[in-house]
């Protein structure tokens, strides 16, 4: 049976998680506190990883919170009814999570002092991870084939809309003092340094022992073993673990094991067209002719 997606302002959202009413409330009526911390990503860009990192930073490296409380309760998805109720009851500072594009992000944010951590990732790896995730997460709809999903992804015909629009929208805020951009690739390359930079951005003074603890407990293996973040506690009606693993590989460059030459060429053509006009260079963009070179600086 085909999934009946929730449609809101031209973007489709997975049912069960969202409704038109919950999305409208998130955009227009959600009360933002000045000390809120928003964890924002396009799907499959390191969302859960960043929840673990930020949770540990806020608790000075102590893993007790991460190991004892579900991540959806630590960093609720405030666009859903359940997540909204959880968010309302959280003490400050709140850690909040969403995949919202900037045009339907809470309006109250733009007149607040709250902070955003935006994690971005090589869209080819996003696509691959999203494909496998959609096969096991029932509300997202099982894709017909990888090639079919590739085409839908490049056209923005997937839940939460176009990756290109999402990135371009949020990148408009680059340079704002309360926005921190970081890439999945940067986290992979230097997790210790990334955690240190994030801590400074959040105004947390952490010693070496605390940062080392965060590195340890936010590792991929630690997360796979942690039932508070590995999604194994979700019912089969939501997440069918027999079809795959939620925390699948956690690596960069897995797209190379999935793309054919023709698919790679197709992706590159669309990428160059959709990203035209940006002056940034992203970590996954090689030098040479494969992608247009840009200058991009992460925080």
């Amino acid at each position: 049976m085909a999934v009946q997606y929730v449609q809101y302002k031209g973007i489709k959202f997975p049912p069960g998680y969202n409704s038109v009413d919950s999305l409208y409330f998130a955009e227009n009526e959600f009360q933002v506190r000045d000390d809120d911390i928003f964890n924002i990503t396009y799907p499959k860009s390191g969302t859960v990883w960043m929840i673990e990192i930020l949770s540990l930073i806020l608790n000075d490296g102590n893993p007790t919170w991460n190991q004892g409380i579900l991540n959806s309760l630590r960093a609720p998805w405030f666009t859903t009814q359940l997540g909204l109720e959880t968010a309302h009851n959280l003490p400050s500072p709140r850690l909040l999570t969403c995949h919202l594009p900037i045009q339907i992000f809470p309006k109250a944010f733009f007149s607040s002092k709250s902070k955003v951590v935006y994690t971005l990732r090589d869209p080819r790896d996003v696509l691959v991870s999203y494909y496998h995730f959609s096969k096991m997460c029932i509300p997202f709809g099982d894709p017909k084939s990888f090639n079919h999903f590739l085409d839908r992804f490049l056209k923005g015909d997937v839940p939460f809309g176009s990756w290109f629009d999402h990135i371009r929208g949020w990148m408009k805020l680059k340079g704002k003092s309360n926005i921190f951009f970081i890439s999945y690739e940067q986290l992979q390359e230097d997790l210790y340094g990334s955690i240190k930079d994030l801590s400074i951005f959040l105004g947390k003074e952490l010693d070496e022992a605390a940062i080392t603890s965060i590195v340890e407990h936010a590792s991929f293996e630690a997360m796979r073993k942690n039932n508070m973040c590995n999604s194994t506690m979700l019912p089969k009606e939501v997440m069918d673990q027999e079809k795959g693993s939620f925390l699948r590989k956690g690596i960069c460059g897995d797209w190379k094991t999935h793309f054919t030459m023709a698919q790679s060429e197709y992706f590159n053509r669309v990428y160059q067209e959709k990203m035209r006009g940006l002056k940034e260079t992203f970590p996954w963009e090689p030098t040479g002719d494969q992608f247009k070179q840009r200058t991009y600086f992460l925080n």
Side-chain angles (χ1 to χ4, degrees), residues 233-246:
M233 298 182 71
L234 289 173
K236 189 174 182 179
E237 293 74 22
V238 175
M239 188 79 70
D240 189 349
Q241 303 283 346
E242 294 180 1
K243 292 184 177 180
S245 174
F246 174 69

Side-chain angles (χ1 to χ4, degrees), residues 12-62:
K12 63 185 185 182
F13 295 83
Y17 295 98
N18 308 276
S19 69
V20 170
D21 288 343
S22 69
L23 291 162
Y24 178 88
F25 188 93
E27 179 189 4
N28 297 288
E29 299 181 30
F30 185 74
Q31 296 299 306
V32 175
R33 304 174 191 169
D34 280 338
D35 55 1
D36 282 341
I37 301 164
F38 289 93
N39 170 36
I40 303 174
T41 60
Y42 186 83
K44 312 314 296 176
S45 300
T47 318
V48 171
W49 195 7
M50 188 53 70
I51 290 176
E52 295 308 294
I53 292 171
L54 296 177
S55 297
L56 287 160
I57 289 175
L58 293 176
N59 283 273
D60 302 311
N62 187 331

Side-chain angles (χ1 to χ4, degrees), residues 213-225:
S213 175
I214 297 171
V215 170
E216 176 186 349
H217 292 99
S219 70
F220 186 74
E221 286 307 313
M223 289 170 56
R224 290 195 76 171
K225 295 174 183 177

Side-chain angles (χ1 to χ4, degrees), residues 159-198:
F160 299 99
S162 165
W163 178 91
F164 302 99
D165 292 347
H166 206 284
I167 294 294
R168 291 181 71 101
W170 279 102
M171 288 299 295
K172 292 177 182 178
L173 298 185
K174 186 167 70 79
K176 299 284 188 180
S177 61
N178 63 332
I179 312 288
F180 188 99
F181 289 95
I182 192 167
S183 72
Y184 193 96
E185 290 74 19
Q186 185 179 8
L187 291 169
Q188 285 278 5
E189 182 178 350
D190 183 11
L191 184 56
Y192 185 98
S194 298
I195 291 168
K196 192 172 182 179
D197 290 343
L198 280 163

Side-chain angles (χ1 to χ4, degrees), residues 79-138:
T79 60
T80 69
Q81 186 59 43
L82 179 59
L84 178 62
E85 292 174 2
T86 303
H88 279 160
N89 293 323
L90 279 181
S92 295
R94 297 184 298 185
L95 179 56
L96 305 167
T97 300
C98 76
H99 293 317
L100 291 179
I102 196 168
Q103 68 269 24
I104 55 177
F105 195 67
K107 292 178 180 177
F109 164 77
F110 299 97
S111 59
S112 76
K113 298 178 182 178
S114 59
K115 296 181 177 181
V116 160
V117 175
Y118 187 96
T119 310
L120 55 161
R121 186 184 187 185
D122 186 332
R124 295 163 297 187
D125 281 334
V126 169
L127 190 159
V128 168
S129 183
Y130 208 167
Y131 167 73
H132 288 287
F133 174 77
S134 297
K135 291 178 70 68
M136 63 185 299
C137 191
I138 309 304

Side-chain angles (χ1 to χ4, degrees), residues 241-268:
Q241 303 283 346
E242 294 180 1
K243 292 184 177 180
S245 174
F246 174 69
L247 296 176
R248 198 173 57 89
K249 289 186 178 181
I251 62 174
C252 300
D254 191 40
W255 67 270
K256 297 174 185 177
T257 67
H258 289 72
F259 279 58
T260 64
M261 182 65 72
Q263 288 169 340
S264 183
E265 291 174 351
Y266 173 37
F267 186 96
N268 291 347

